[in-house]
Amino acid sequence: MYRDHRNARMPRPLHRPAGVRADLRRPPGPAPAPVPAPLLLLYPLPAPPAEILAGRRPLLSREKMGSRSASEEKAGSRQRLQVKKCKKTEIRKTCRRILTPKMEATSSKTESTLQKSSLDVCTESNKRQHKSTSDTVIPSVDMESIQNLDSDEDTTLGLDEFSGLSPYERKRLKNISENANFFASLQLSASAARLREMIKKRQPPESKRKMPKKRENGTGCRRSMRLLKVDPSGVSLPATPTQPTLIADENPLLPPGPLEMTPENRDDDNDLFKGFLQTWAEVSKTSIKNTEKELSSIKNYKANLNGMVINEDTVHKVTKGPILSVALHPSEIRTLVAAGAKSGQVGLWDLQLHISLLKQTHQSEEDGIYVFQPHSQPVSCLYFSPANPAHILSLSYDGTLRCGDFSRAIFEEVCRDERSSFSSFDFLGEDASTLIVGHWNGNISLVDRRTPGTSYEKLINSSLRKIRTVHVHPVHRQYFITAGLRDTHIYDARHLNPRGSQPLISLTEHTKSIASAYFSPLTGNRVVTTCADCKLRIFDSSCISSQIPLLTTIRHNTITGRWLTRFQAVWDPKQEDCVIVGSMAHPRRVEIFHETGKQVHSFFGGECLVSVCSINAMHPTRYIMAGGNSSGKIHVFMN
């Protein structure tokens, strides 16, 4: 029972050839008739042993068959993989050989090589399998049925040549050989070669531009004898030596020394110009200086501002290019405006003379306006002398500081430094004899007009990298304030060290570039700064100590862009608790703010004010305001 149960669970062979029975213990007698084999075999079978061909049954025990079944199964799988790989490689080689241009010569050889190679591979694999499975049981195969099938499929091919291939492979090789013979009979390679030759013959040559033939005896086009450097008589001129071209400076420095007041916008009417200068000199003598006037109330101040208007007669182009500085003459009887331009010009405008001459039809619109060129670069600072209003002092980026004297009609040179660029200046003394000058590189120089020469008395290295504006305290004139890149410093002129000076007070509340910083004009108790962070800041400077508190921050758009002059908030000399600043708002206007941050007034001009007035100035005693824009125009609001 144990043996029968074990035999029942014994694994059966996966591939059992036809004609072999599962039960080996059959009764003795003649061998049964073989069963015909299937038409298509997935892989070639090995040659059966001699015992099976002779009709004898190998006597093997059950134990031996059970032990060999696993090894037989592994050998069979390895054999199938090897045969498949050999067939794939042989098929690829056959296709490559058949599709070559020389089909006629290779068609017959391809078939033979495929047959031989497949037979060789199969025989080798049969030998290996026979060696590895010499002890296993191999069923018998009916070779007569295979021979009959081969004769039906292909009568031209022999059994010896294709004994290792299946009928499907033999049929496939036959189709390949027939197709190769058919394509060879078409002679496609010969016709392709003929087409190539025809295409090469018909290909046009590369087109090349034909050069016109030179006329030997004909007359050519006329040429300039001057450009050919030939004399009219036909003799060639001697070659002139080439001189190196010097690049001219766009803004050459003017010669040192005094310059005559020669107006650039006038070529004649010398008598009229002399009368203009005489008028300025006489008005300066009769000017009244009033700095002790008490502040008016905000209500009265607003009422006076509401009476200031603008019209077409009070708007005119004075200089060429943007205006960087504006000053009003302190005269009580005439309105005289001065403007410094980016081009280095200084323009003077007598408003009363201009209006009176406009009423006369025979006079031009430029009467009463005179433009001079005392500098070669932008004029950033312009003041009338507090001691002698007949003098106007102008400072430029070209490193020169000049004083225009209307009585002598000249521009004297006060200070000159060709190695540095000036940015701003102010008067240290009330008599305007000593000046303090700020440089763009952060230096500060002290200038004394009483000493001969045009050099400064002392040069101080400040703690700032740049200085934009300099302003002196109106009461304690030893203090002055400077506006740098992001810091505002207050210095004491008595303790300046040429090697380096530290400020008394630093205002570090600013976050971006500072455009200006000014003390209030009468008492100096307030400081107003204009910063690029769109804020106007007002500080309490009544007690100059280590710290100055911040009183008010006013939100105001100060982003003017590249083509407009930067805003600079300045105090009203008559009302030192109010500041004046330009505006980017629409419609265009000029605004006045109180130190508490409240807006006091806005100057609207309608069609007369359609541009941004970046630089503004107020008359010290009269209600007159002048604003300059970036095209050289002056707008005057007056009572």
Side-chain angles (χ1 to χ4, degrees), residues 245-264:
T245 58
L246 299 177
I247 300 175
D249 190 4
E250 295 181 359
N251 299 315
L253 289 176
L254 298 178
L259 300 176
E260 294 184 0
M261 279 190 176
T262 303
E264 291 190 344

Side-chain angles (χ1 to χ4, degrees), residues 32-91:
V35 182
L39 295 177
L40 293 178
L41 296 177
L42 297 176
Y43 56 89
L45 295 175
E51 296 177 356
I52 296 177
L53 295 176
R56 290 178 298 178
R57 173 170 59 87
L59 299 176
L60 297 174
S61 63
R62 295 177 182 268
E63 293 81 359
K64 192 171 184 180
M65 288 185 63
S67 62
R68 295 298 181 180
S69 61
S71 61
E72 179 184 358
E73 187 175 342
K74 293 181 180 179
S77 62
R78 285 196 296 269
Q79 179 187 2
R80 286 193 297 272
L81 292 175
Q82 291 176 1
V83 172
K84 286 182 180 181
K85 289 182 181 179
C86 294
K87 283 185 179 183
K88 287 182 180 180
T89 53
E90 293 300 331
I91 290 168

Side-chain angles (χ1 to χ4, degrees), residues 221-373:
C221 59
R222 297 179 60 186
R223 296 180 180 273
S224 172
M225 300 182 72
R226 177 181 61 82
L227 296 178
L228 295 175
K229 297 181 180 180
V230 177
D231 191 77
S233 60
V235 181
S236 60
L237 298 176
T240 58
T242 58
Q243 297 180 356
T245 58
L246 299 177
I247 300 175
D249 190 4
E250 295 181 359
N251 299 315
L253 289 176
L254 298 178
L259 300 176
E260 294 184 0
M261 279 190 176
T262 303
E264 291 190 344
N265 60 337
R266 297 296 181 89
D267 295 334
D268 51 1
D269 293 341
N270 291 329
D271 296 336
L272 186 62
F273 175 63
K274 290 180 180 179
F276 172 78
L277 293 178
Q278 185 177 0
T279 301
W280 277 69
E282 292 176 357
V283 167
S284 299
K285 293 179 181 179
T286 58
S287 63
I288 300 174
K289 182 179 179 181
N290 186 6
T291 58
E292 298 180 358
K293 183 178 178 180
E294 295 181 358
L295 296 179
S296 61
S297 64
I298 295 296
K299 185 177 181 180
N300 294 334
Y301 183 65
K302 286 184 178 181
N304 292 324
L305 293 179
N306 291 330
M308 298 171 62
V309 295
I310 188 174
N311 53 45
E312 295 180 355
D313 297 338
T314 59
V315 179
H316 203 277
K317 185 177 178 64
V318 177
T319 62
K320 181 178 68 175
I323 293 176
L324 302 184
S325 56
V326 176
L328 280 169
H329 194 277
S331 173
E332 296 284 348
I333 57 176
R334 298 185 72 92
T335 303
L336 306 175
V337 184
K342 186 177 180 179
S343 59
Q345 294 179 344
V346 173
L348 301 177
W349 185 16
D350 188 347
L351 198 61
Q352 272 78 11
L353 179 63
H354 175 74
I355 294 173
S356 62
L357 292 177
L358 282 178
K359 295 179 181 179
Q360 302 176 13
T361 57
H362 65 278
Q363 297 293 338
S364 65
E365 293 184 357
E366 292 188 358
D367 287 335
I369 299 174
Y370 293 91
V371 181
F372 308 96
Q373 188 78 40

